[in-house]
Amino acid sequence: MCAVDDIATIAAEVPWPDHEAEQAAREHATCLGRLDALAEWLAGTQGECPPHEPRRMRALVFAADHGIAAAGVSAYEPDATAHWVADITDGSARVNVLAELAGASVRAVDVGVGRPTGRIDCEDALSPEDATRALQAGIDVADDEVDAGTDLVVVGDVGVGATTVAAVLTAVITSTEPVKVIGRGGGIDDYTWMRKATAVRDARLRAWPHRAAPAELLAVAGGADIAAMAGFLVRAASRRTPVLLDGVMAAAAALVAQDIQPRCVRWSRAAQRTSEPAQALALRRLGLEPILDLGVEAGDGTGGLLAVPVLRAAARTAQ
């Protein structure tokens, strides 16, 4: 099991991207605007210029159930998460279709489906031990993928109530009042939005004393999925693996990873802008501008996979 000091040890190993490769890519910019910037990022993460197109791309969709769904904060029934994971596993989900188009593969990472967390508005999401296990699960997934040759990862999630969790964590980490982080999630109506606002307010109040301790914050106001995502991001960065963040949960996980080790953000780019205020706040703190703005609201990896061809174009035009 990964203890808090173990994640700190891994975090200390996170390097900077290769500055010389970045500089070389910058000097060979071809007046293609953000494509040049993406080529520079790829060069730095790959440690070479010109950068090559990613060879083994993988979409990781983290999944877990959230107890806060019982507060009526979502347009979906709490058991919908299991159905979404089943669709991904059997290859029938939209993320599978887009993965095929992008030349990528998809992996559903079940870290808590059927095992809801505590309701974060009135109790902790996870025990400290469960939070540690979730962090370790993310670290293990990163090692599995990098050892298998994955050189570009899209990180997304599915889970009823997940945007509420993301809103709470973003509100705490960015010191933002609750009403400014709450979006419409999966298309909620006004009454559901009001319930969500109340839940975020109460959960933020409970979580606020833990804002300087990422592992404690994940246990109090996170969940198994976002803890695993944070662990994954730290380990992926330590192993020099670039990541595309898809959706508000991935952005919130990146905030936690940045608190653990600020250099982690240098290994990530935001794939797709959503209408979630929490995502905009998180990306502003991270200093990331989304590659795409297509109105895609899902954070299940679809936006990240849509951005993959843009990255490939950036690498190819940098040759």
Side-chain angles (χ1 to χ4, degrees):
M1 187 181 298
C2 168
V4 174
D5 56 347
D6 293 330
I7 191 72
T9 299
I10 293 171
E13 298 171 352
V14 174
W16 294 102
D18 190 301
H19 175 71
E20 292 184 2
E22 289 178 330
Q23 182 63 32
R26 196 175 304 124
E27 292 172 355
H28 289 84
T30 56
C31 301
L32 290 176
R34 293 194 64 200
L35 281 183
D36 288 334
L38 290 171
E40 180 183 329
W41 177 66
L42 283 174
T45 59
Q46 294 173 0
E48 62 181 31
C49 183
H52 60 262
E53 292 184 48
R55 300 185 178 104
R56 187 179 191 272
M57 297 162 288
R58 187 84 143 153
L60 301 179
V61 186
F62 290 81
D65 282 319
H66 297 275
I68 195 63
V73 298
S74 174
Y76 299 98
E77 293 297 321
D79 63 355
T81 306
H83 296 294
W84 295 333
V85 171
D87 288 344
I88 294 170
T89 302
D90 68 22
S92 62
R94 60 192 169 196
V95 69
N96 301 97
V97 174
L98 292 176
E100 183 179 358
L101 288 172
S105 57
V106 183
R107 176 182 177 182
V109 183
D110 179 352
V111 288
V113 178
R115 305 181 300 279
T117 61
R119 271 187 57 164
I120 57 174
D121 57 340
C122 58
E123 60 184 327
D124 290 353
L126 302 166
S127 68
E129 294 78 17
D130 285 342
T132 294
R133 276 189 283 270
L135 280 165
Q136 182 62 52
I139 292 167
D140 292 344
V141 169
D143 283 333
D144 289 346
E145 293 298 332
V146 177
D147 290 345
T150 299
D151 59 358
L152 177 67
V153 179
V154 172
V155 171
D157 82 285
V158 290
V160 179
T163 60
T164 301
V165 171
V168 173
L169 293 174
T170 301
V172 172
I173 294 172
T174 64
S175 301
T176 302
E177 59 185 281
V179 71
K180 292 184 177 180
V181 300
I182 304 165
R184 292 284 176 171
I188 59 176
D189 60 23
D190 290 344
Y191 292 106
T192 306
W193 187 92
M194 287 187 283
R195 289 193 294 270
K196 185 174 181 177
T198 301
V200 171
R201 179 200 66 196
D202 293 346
R204 181 185 183 274
L205 182 64
R206 294 188 69 258
W208 184 253
H210 306 277
R211 61 192 181 278
E216 292 180 18
L217 183 60
L218 289 169
V220 172
D225 49 359
I226 199 163
M229 292 164 81
F232 174 88
L233 292 172
V234 174
R235 186 56 165 167
S238 78
R239 299 200 61 180
R240 308 184 66 90
T241 303
V243 174
L244 290 176
L245 306 170
D246 187 26
V248 65
M249 273 288 272
L255 280 180
V256 177
Q258 184 185 50
D259 274 2
I260 294 171
Q261 170 52 265
R263 291 191 295 273
C264 287
V265 70
R266 296 293 297 274
W267 296 89
S268 295
R269 285 296 178 265
Q272 164 68 30
R273 189 187 311 278
T274 74
S275 64
E276 288 291 321
Q279 190 208 29
L281 286 162
L283 295 183
R284 190 175 306 130
R285 170 66 67 90
L286 294 166
L288 299 178
E289 180 69 19
I291 296 170
L292 299 176
D293 187 358
L294 300 176
V296 176
E297 295 296 328
D300 59 356
T302 53
L305 289 165
L306 287 167
V308 165
V310 180
L311 276 185
R312 297 175 70 176
R316 188 167 297 188
T317 55
Q319 302 303 309

